[in-house]
Amino acid sequence: KLSFGLELGEAWNYPLPCMPHRRRSGDMMRLQQPRTTMQSTCSTMVFAWPAGQWLALFLFAIFLLSSMALSLGDADDTVFPSMMDAADVEFFFAGYDLEGLHWAASNIFQRSPRNLQGGGVSLDKTLVARGSGDGYTSKYKLKHDLDQAHYLADVLQESNPEISSYFKREVIPIYEAVMHNIPALEQLQRTKGLYAFSRQDFDLGIARVYNKALYMTNSDIIDPNWREREMLNSQHDWNLIQKQYYGDGAHDESSSSSSSVVVVDNLLTDEALSILRTLLLRNTHWYQTKTPLEFGHYVGAYLDDGLFDPAFLELAKALHQNLPRIMGGHELRYMWAYKYDSDSDSGINLHADQAAVNVNIWLSLEDADIEEPGFGGGLVVYTAKPPEDMGFSAYNTNTDVVVDKILRPTNFANVTVKHKPNRAVIFDSALFHQSDRYRFHRGYTKGRINLTLLYGHMRKGGNSSRSSAKEEL
């Protein structure tokens, strides 16, 4: 096993196969983990060989060991890329190889600058471009990190006093000092609200703590027996949910659904909900900031950059298995979580996602949102999709065109789903959607949190088969 510490006083152990390698599939280079059964089979074959072939075996062993040395010697360059992509996730998930997916994601993460004991390579340019770099921040992002540091210092005071002391002594003072250096938002017009760290910030030590895996617990530590229990509530009628999604006329008076959009309340068991919330509150994998003057105020964590705990992967599998009609032919391709600034009231702008099925789950704490007219805090899903000839950048950045040319002709027909903890909205990911306005209490644990899982490939063109009237769910 390859052991590395992602937090002071604790270490995660990840199996390091003897010869990790890639498998070519089309134009993609897939990460692949050799299976343990393959290694066991080789051992069995060795003992079954006749004695006259032991010399050949000896020579083969020398060759194998040489290959292993070469493979492990340049593993950072040839075995593990600087970042996973959706095709890699799809490759592992197709056979429910969650162990392999976790192995790949964790090994890439271990070699990145996020890990305090790794970091032999620089951050992938894609991470920097999407707002997850380590040379800039926003005021709301750094405020989130400071609030999380205070939270961890408190909750770990008894169970892990060494880490608690580290946050109090090292992390919090640096964040507080740098916060004072960030100018007012109106003074950051040129960078759309982003703040590039100054030499003074680096002298204060911001590079040692910002966007680092300062604390990363896992589901096995939180609850060693979690794998013995189900992730999803057993009370759900999954056949009915799928009929509602496809508009099969299976609605009853209590259903909250419309064709291509279905709402599932109490999705997770209490135990699963508690584990996922704990992971999202404690793990310092919230590396993305948006440009505050262009998008909403929320921080992001992604499957390819720290959000790969086995509990999240098991949830993805459970949804896929229980919804075969919706998920058929659509493998998991991506996953992210967002936490929203309670000092703001607007979340994600109008957009469509590159997937076939979108599962959005709210993991906020109970009573975190403030009931107020006009602030449902949930999700608005429109009936329209991007046309076939419209590219990703066009339909996700040219909002005026989308509104005038695509949504207005439908009279802005939509399904508006109110926020509710442990509520899932499952819908065709190509449908335009956006966050509803929200009001949440201030405080680190009181913010709005959502988890999004994307399955399959986008199917553009046309509208959902719904009436043009607005529906409130």
Side-chain angles (χ1 to χ4, degrees), residues 195-454:
Y195 169 72
F197 293 127
S198 66
R199 179 174 295 276
Q200 181 184 4
D201 299 326
F202 287 111
D203 290 341
L204 288 169
I206 192 65
R208 297 199 303 270
V209 296
Y210 184 73
N211 274 1
K212 301 292 186 184
L214 303 179
Y215 182 85
M216 296 287 284
T217 188
N218 62 66
S219 48
D220 291 315
I221 292 175
I222 296 170
D223 182 356
N225 300 315
W226 74 271
R227 298 175 190 270
E228 301 173 7
R229 297 186 290 269
E230 298 293 329
M231 297 291 294
L232 305 179
N233 266 324
S234 59
Q235 67 187 28
H236 296 303
D237 185 338
W238 299 107
N239 288 328
L240 177 61
I241 289 170
Q242 293 177 101
K243 288 179 180 179
Q244 292 170 351
Y245 181 87
Y246 284 107
D248 288 353
H251 301 266
D252 58 39
E253 294 181 357
S254 63
S255 70
S256 294
S257 60
S258 187
S259 179
S260 299
V261 181
V262 65
V263 178
V264 182
D265 284 335
N266 301 313
L267 176 75
L268 304 167
T269 64
D270 291 342
E271 295 83 1
L273 180 61
S274 177
I275 289 173
L276 297 187
R277 281 174 171 168
T278 300
L279 290 167
L280 294 176
L281 288 174
R282 296 192 180 189
N283 284 348
T284 59
H285 50 30
W286 301 96
Y287 303 132
Q288 185 194 45
T289 178
K290 297 295 183 178
T291 46
L293 295 178
E294 187 177 26
F295 300 105
H297 291 206
Y298 54 97
V299 297
Y302 292 83
L303 171 59
D304 53 15
D305 196 21
L307 189 71
F308 49 72
D309 187 89
F312 291 111
L313 305 183
E314 286 291 344
L315 170 60
K317 175 184 175 182
L319 288 166
H320 196 265
Q321 289 181 321
N322 281 283
L323 299 168
R325 187 177 169 200
I326 296 175
M327 299 293 187
H330 305 310
E331 313 298 344
L332 179 73
R333 287 178 57 81
Y334 211 38
M335 176 169 56
W336 62 67
Y338 291 142
K339 288 163 70 176
Y340 299 75
D341 181 12
S342 293
D343 289 329
S344 177
D345 65 4
S346 60
I348 303 176
N349 294 339
L350 182 68
H351 69 288
D353 291 311
Q354 290 183 306
V357 182
N358 185 312
V359 181
N360 181 88
I361 309 168
W362 289 302
L363 299 175
S364 320
L365 298 183
E366 283 73 15
D367 301 323
D369 58 329
I370 301 172
E371 292 286 342
E372 190 173 324
F375 296 89
L379 188 66
V380 181
V381 183
Y382 294 92
T383 65
K385 300 180 180 182
E388 291 289 349
D389 59 352
M390 196 173 195
F392 177 82
S393 178
Y395 63 72
N396 276 342
T397 57
N398 296 341
T399 304
D400 292 340
V401 173
V402 171
V403 170
D404 291 337
K405 302 296 185 182
I406 301 177
L407 299 186
R408 195 179 302 279
T410 71
N411 197 26
F412 299 96
N414 70 83
V415 175
T416 299
V417 185
K418 290 188 64 175
H419 170 274
K420 184 180 180 181
N422 202 12
R423 166 176 279 180
V425 187
I426 305 171
F427 60 98
D428 184 336
S429 194
L431 295 173
F432 284 105
H433 53 283
Q434 65 186 52
S435 300
D436 200 3
R437 296 180 69 193
Y438 63 85
R439 284 274 194 269
F440 276 73
H441 292 286
R442 289 183 174 89
Y444 178 70
T445 62
K446 295 292 187 178
R448 183 182 189 268
I449 306 175
N450 77 274
L451 177 70
T452 297
L453 301 95
L454 299 182

Side-chain angles (χ1 to χ4, degrees), residues 36-196:
T36 305
T37 53
M38 293 172 59
Q39 297 168 353
S40 300
T41 302
C42 289
S43 299
T44 303
M45 290 173 60
V46 167
F47 290 105
W49 282 4
Q53 297 185 9
W54 280 103
L55 178 59
L57 173 62
F58 175 73
L59 295 175
F60 174 75
I62 294 176
F63 170 77
L64 183 62
L65 290 172
S66 300
S67 300
M68 287 170 56
L70 290 173
S71 176
L72 294 176
D74 62 358
D76 286 339
D77 297 327
T78 61
V79 177
F80 299 105
S82 60
M83 187 175 175
M84 293 185 73
D85 61 22
D88 294 322
V89 177
E90 186 177 34
F91 172 77
F92 285 107
F93 194 81
Y96 291 146
D97 185 7
L98 304 188
E99 180 184 350
L101 177 55
H102 181 265
W103 168 86
S106 59
N107 271 284
I108 293 172
F109 188 74
Q110 179 248 335
R111 288 161 170 77
S112 81
R114 306 293 193 206
N115 178 23
L116 296 177
Q117 297 184 10
V121 297
S122 59
L123 279 177
D124 190 281
K125 293 180 180 179
T126 302
L127 297 179
V128 178
R130 77 181 184 196
S132 302
D134 51 14
Y136 58 87
T137 190
S138 63
K139 195 157 192 174
Y140 79 83
K141 165 68 164 69
L142 196 60
K143 178 180 177 295
H144 164 273
D145 294 355
L146 177 58
D147 289 344
Q148 186 179 33
H150 279 292
Y151 169 78
L152 290 170
D154 290 340
V155 300
L156 299 175
Q157 190 164 357
E158 293 187 6
S159 62
N160 204 325
E162 184 179 358
I163 297 180
S164 174
S165 176
Y166 167 69
F167 277 99
K168 293 177 182 178
R169 182 186 69 254
E170 179 82 2
V171 181
I172 293 174
I174 294 175
Y175 283 161
E176 289 179 336
V178 174
M179 279 285 288
H180 289 299
N181 295 336
I182 302 179
L185 198 57
E186 55 268 20
Q187 299 180 37
L188 297 171
Q189 295 283 341
R190 187 177 62 84
T191 57
K192 300 179 180 179
L194 292 181
Y195 169 72

